[in-house]
Amino acid sequence: MTEEERVTSVKEAAGRRAADLVETGTIVGLGTGSTVWFTLVRLAERIKTEGLEIVGVPTSMDTTTKATELGIPVVGLGEVEKIHLTIDGADEIDGEYQMIKGGGGALLREKVIASISEKEVIVVGPDKVVEKLGTTFLLPVEVTTFALPTVSRALEAFGCETVLRLSDPGVAMTTDNGNQILDCRFPNGIDDARELERAIAAIPGAVESGLFIDLAHAVVIGHEDGSAELRER
Ligand code: 5RP
């Protein structure tokens, strides 16, 4: 098995297993990323084969497109007050179920959806489970364009180096919300994620950080043999 095949089978195992947690008649938050892709595929299968009835609330334009193409009914936030279950990916998750998200750039919508979800299930491979956040992945911060220089300086005062995320060489990536992303490298990881999330939220022009604190309730960890393990907080 090549490394690419191994990563794909881990994602598929986690994504599909989480989709089997979805009950008929529920409102389901649809996360973003390559692991959630397999959740979407499995949900579409269940809609066709079992008559599963759900309404999806996507966390990105990309997921809206994919879910719609697969035949999963989707609505916007204006049509729901709460979400029963959200399934989303993560870039890092620690032993307390705190996370870094935003590798796909959808952190703002993902956090809004997580905040109104009764249950948030995270789908990952074992490599995303870390002892300390910020050690294997940069922390994304979504920033309004005007404030990029001031937010960058304010973030660097916390001891990180910031890098503007690009979509193409020389072209800043634009999020679904029309903002940019600064990726923050903390040389020794993040010591106090809860406090850092609060501190970033207080910076004018910083729209949202990829620190997800107390938002995940369970994690499904996929393995390369096709099995997946569900851990509840
Ligand atoms: C997007 C995210 C994704 O959930 C995260 O990057 C994981 O993606 P993948 O499943 O492709 O590894 O936070 O903003």
Side-chain angles (χ1 to χ4, degrees), residues 11 32-36 88-91 101-107 110 128:
K11 291 180 178 190
T32 296
S34 53
T35 315
V36 164
D88 204 349
D91 301 300
K101 287 182 49 51
L107 60 142
E110 289 173 336
K128 306 271 190 80

